[in-house]
């Protein structure tokens, strides 16, 4: 039994919010030693904001003011996260790029999930690109966020076999199902103190994590 208080999460979303919901449900079930302190969306109409409200979570819409005003968005987001006592920022389908200064000031305190086996396929349309490239394996990556887009230290990857003739929709759905397992798992590592950020890199169970942990999925 830990004496540590629950790790306070601030989850940033832009869309459906299925990862946010999965994380919230794990928290609620008491499986993570974490709690969702705030859900922020840059899209006031995001379906995930409604889902968050239905889950009884605190929400805040901060409409995206345009790339030229990104610092204003970040100022408001930082104020809301700080006011909510957020210790770990969780990007979950957040479709904006945070600035270098915002990310650097929070090194080791921002996680992201990306739908590919990074460093393969950073950016958008990852499932289509994996199919076009004839990849036989595909998956998702939980990583720390650094100023390099989708380039921060990788922590945990889900890997699935691409099925012959598989559609983009099928592959996307199967990868997403694994995201809902691996993202809560990494947050649990962090909440338990197993995952730490020291000397500008991740450590897991007392050793530097030089390559990501890989979890194979059959489904
Ligand atoms: C996920 O596929 C995630 O990997 C990517 O955006 C998608 C978000 O889905 N970053 P949801 O909003 O969590 O349903």
């Amino acid at each position: 039994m830990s004496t540590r208080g629950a790790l306070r999460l601030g989850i940033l979303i832009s869309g459906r919010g299925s990862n946010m919901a999965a994380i919230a449900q794990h928290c609620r079930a008491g499986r993570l030693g974490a709690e969702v302190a705030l859900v922020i969306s840059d899209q006031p109409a995001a379906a995930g904001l409604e889902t968050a409200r239905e889950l009884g979570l605190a929400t805040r819409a901060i409409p995206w003011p345009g790339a030229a005003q990104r610092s204003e968005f970040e100022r408001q987001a930082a104020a809301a996260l700080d006011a909510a006592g957020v210790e770990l920022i969780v990007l979950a389908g957040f479709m904006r790029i945070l600035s270098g200064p915002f990310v650097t000031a929070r090194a080791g305190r921002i996680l992201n999930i990306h739908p590919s086996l990074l460093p393969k396929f950073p950016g958008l349309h990852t499932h289509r690109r994996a199919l076009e490239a004839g990849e036989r394996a595909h998956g998702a990556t939980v990583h720390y966020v650094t100023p390099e887009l989708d380039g921060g230290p990788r922590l945990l990857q889900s890997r699935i076999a691409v099925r012959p003739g598989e559609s983009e929709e099928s592959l996307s759905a199967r990868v997403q199902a694994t995201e809902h397992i691996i993202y809560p798992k990494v947050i649990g590592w962090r909440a338990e103190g197993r995952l730490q950020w020291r000397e500008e890199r991740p450590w897991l169970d007392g050793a530097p994590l030089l390559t990501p942990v890989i979890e194979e999925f059959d489904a």
Side-chain angles (χ1 to χ4, degrees), residues 13 15-20 92-95 112-115 127 140 176 179-180:
I13 63 171
R16 193 166 62 133
S18 69
N19 279 285
M20 176 276 302
F94 180 66
M95 301 304 286
N112 185 42
I113 190 157
H114 181 79
H127 309 302
Q176 269 235 329
E179 294 181 8
H180 301 159

Side-chain angles (χ1 to χ4, degrees), residues 44-119:
L49 269 187
E50 187 53 36
T51 304
R53 285 187 209 106
E54 285 166 12
L55 288 167
L57 302 174
T59 62
R60 172 85 188 270
I62 304 176
W64 184 249
Q69 305 293 324
R70 179 169 62 176
S71 60
E72 176 54 22
F73 175 88
E74 291 180 345
R75 192 190 60 72
Q76 291 188 38
L81 292 164
D82 289 348
V86 165
E87 298 162 284
L88 182 67
I89 298 171
V90 176
L91 308 185
F94 180 66
M95 301 304 286
R96 305 291 176 187
I97 297 171
L98 296 168
S99 70
F102 183 94
V103 169
T104 305
R106 295 165 182 78
R109 287 192 284 136
I110 311 179
L111 294 177
N112 185 42
I113 190 157
H114 181 79
S116 78
L117 293 172
L118 290 170

Side-chain angles (χ1 to χ4, degrees), residues 21 122 128 143 180 199 216:
R128 188 188 315 162
H143 65 96
H180 301 159
E199 298 160 6
E216 307 277 354

